[in-house]
Amino acid sequence: MHTLRITQPDDWHLHLRDGDALDTTVPHTARHFGRAIVMPNLKPPIANVEMALDYRQRILEVVPEGMPFSPLMTLYLTDKLSVSEIAKAQENEFIHAIKYYPAGATTNSENGVTDINAVMPVLEEMARLGLPLLIHGEVTDADIDIFDREEKFIDTILSPLLDRIPELKIVLEHITTSQAVQFVSEQNTNIAATITPHHLLYNRNDLLAGGVRPHFYCLPILKRDIHQKALGDAAISGNSRFFLGTDSAPHARHTKETDCGCAGIYSAAGAIELYTEFFDQQNALDKLEGFASHFGADFYGLPRNTAELVLEKKAWSMPQEFRFGDYTVVPMRAGEEVEWSVTEVTP
Ligand code: DOR
Ligand code: ZN
């Protein structure tokens, strides 16, 4: 198959950043995606409805003409988020979820949750109102090996949380292990998971074998190939509880190419094309549309997009870098070929 027509996809996990970074990040996503769940880990974090609505306006200001893109906003769960703010968020048509970062887990997570018991009343209110919790599922204990942090989180935090509040709607974000695939598959339909293009296409050898490649460093970190395989099988399975979320997370080049580099892979410049490449490699192009364009909307209780995207198997070369405010950002596949192109977005 060399041409593919699918319902326009959505990105259910995206970092757009703020300020003049938006001039780059927003058009890259808005070109192809109808909507995106926008992460709130700014400095300071998007911790209440008012901040989320202001941030939404800043995003909308740079959406290019003719690209009807809708940012779906989220709030950052801090120890201080109140039950009344949850009710306010639920009522607001532009706010779709609350993001849980364990304190210290990743970029700008220092305001995250220090103790899950402290936020239990907020989580119970979310369950009551049907507002989804988006989870960065890694423990942060210094003595837990970085490759084991997702599995440990599932065992010690997530599983007890589901026992305690089984009605809570959860997206386990950017899963990276066979344990996460298995766990989500075995739960009730209140829990789903997003999968990134980089965790489908790469494993820890790409990060570490033959030299350290800082542009492959992200969190949760790339795992070994057996986990990559499990994620791939989940993505092409047609199981509606696994769907697209890029976790595209740009950092300026100099903050990654340094002795303590930031975590994050910038995939937005070629995201749907890279996912298509993966599904093509697996001979599973017929499963792409569900994963990219149907299952996420269904889980969030939103209508599917009506626009369509046409993809062709026609290679193009990803630029080495893009402007990123005063700096540059290095995209996933920089300077290399991407096998599929988007040739048309029909209204
Ligand atoms: O690699 C990552 N980058 N993982 C995250 O969880 C956060 C993200 C970021 O914001 O840079
Ligand atoms: Zn993320």
Side-chain angles (χ1 to χ4, degrees):
M1 202 191 309
H2 291 283
T3 305
L4 193 63
R5 177 181 286 267
I6 59 169
T7 304
Q8 186 180 31
D10 302 300
D11 185 349
W12 299 100
H13 183 126
L14 177 67
H15 299 268
L16 289 172
R17 312 301 190 209
D18 206 352
D20 48 13
L22 294 176
D23 296 338
T24 301
T25 59
V26 173
H28 275 160
T29 292
R31 275 184 321 157
H32 298 155
F33 290 87
R35 297 165 290 197
I37 284 275
V38 179
M39 289 297 124
N41 62 330
L42 304 184
K43 262 187 166 159
I46 302 297
N48 58 50
V49 171
E50 193 185 337
M51 290 175 87
L53 297 183
D54 288 349
Y55 183 30
R56 179 173 176 273
Q57 280 312 322
R58 297 197 292 281
I59 295 167
L60 288 176
E61 273 162 28
V62 293
V63 174
E65 281 279 321
M67 295 181 191
F69 172 72
S70 304
L72 310 176
M73 309 311 292
T74 61
L75 301 190
Y76 190 117
L77 179 55
T78 68
D79 288 345
K80 294 193 205 96
L81 187 66
S82 66
V83 169
S84 62
E85 198 67 18
I86 294 296
K88 222 169 129 185
Q90 166 64 16
E91 278 163 23
N92 191 289
E93 63 182 302
F94 301 121
I95 299 185
H96 293 268
I98 310 291
K99 178 67 192 269
Y100 173 127
Y101 288 105
T106 187
T107 308
N108 298 344
S109 65
E110 48 285 348
N111 297 293
V113 175
T114 53
D115 173 7
I116 186 135
N117 293 307
V119 295
M120 221 30 96
V122 163
L123 300 181
E124 279 162 359
E125 180 71 353
M126 288 171 58
R128 200 174 70 76
L129 297 173
L131 189 61
L133 181 70
L134 314 184
I135 297 184
H136 182 111
E138 288 192 288
V139 295
T140 54
D141 318 43
D143 59 341
I144 304 295
D145 190 276
I146 187 167
F147 291 98
D148 298 334
R149 289 180 179 188
E150 182 174 278
E151 183 181 4
K152 184 88 178 172
F153 182 90
I154 292 169
D155 292 344
T156 61
I157 311 276
L158 185 57
S159 183
L161 174 62
L162 292 187
D163 289 342
R164 198 154 158 184
I165 323 182
E167 323 78 59
L168 184 60
K169 227 173 155 172
I170 291 174
V171 183
L172 185 57
E173 300 286 4
H174 43 53
I175 56 169
T176 61
T177 58
S178 60
Q179 289 87 357
V181 169
Q182 193 184 344
F183 182 82
V184 171
S185 305
E186 288 169 351
Q187 301 306 311
N188 68 31
T189 52
N190 288 338
I191 175 162
T194 52
I195 306 180
T196 75
H198 40 284
H199 290 102
L200 290 173
L201 287 162
Y202 300 106
N203 63 56
R204 67 192 194 181
N205 273 9
D206 297 293
L207 169 69
L208 295 169
V212 177
R213 294 184 198 81
H215 297 288
F216 279 121
Y217 177 58
C218 62
L219 290 171
I221 197 161
L222 293 173
K223 304 296 191 298
R224 61 191 314 149
D225 60 355
I226 51 169
H227 296 290
Q228 180 191 7
K229 175 83 173 57
L231 299 173
D233 289 346
I236 65 169
S237 67
N239 181 335
S240 62
R241 284 187 296 126
F242 297 99
F243 49 80
L244 185 158
T246 62
D247 197 18
S248 175
H251 290 273
R253 179 193 277 274
H254 69 282
T255 66
K256 287 190 69 71
E257 297 175 4
T258 180
D259 54 5
C260 184
C262 296
I265 296 180
Y266 186 55
S267 58
I272 191 61
E273 301 94 321
L274 289 162
Y275 278 111
T276 308
E277 189 177 303
F278 174 77
F279 277 72
D280 187 19
Q281 284 170 9
Q282 305 297 310
N283 287 318
L285 285 173
D286 60 320
K287 295 291 197 303
L288 177 68
E289 186 177 41
F291 176 83
S293 317
H294 294 165
F295 302 156
D298 298 349
F299 185 82
Y300 277 86
L302 295 169
R304 294 176 181 178
N305 291 324
T306 50
E308 290 184 327
L309 206 70
V310 180
L311 289 135
E312 264 179 48
K313 193 161 185 178
K314 195 164 70 177
W316 56 285
S317 186
M318 179 66 79
Q320 292 286 0
E321 59 181 24
F322 292 99
R323 194 178 71 76
F324 187 59
D326 292 337
Y327 305 103
T328 61
V329 60
V330 177
M332 184 170 166
R333 274 297 160 80
E336 293 175 33
E337 287 209 330
V338 177
E339 291 172 23
W340 284 76
S341 306
V342 174
T343 52
E344 210 186 324
V345 185
T346 65

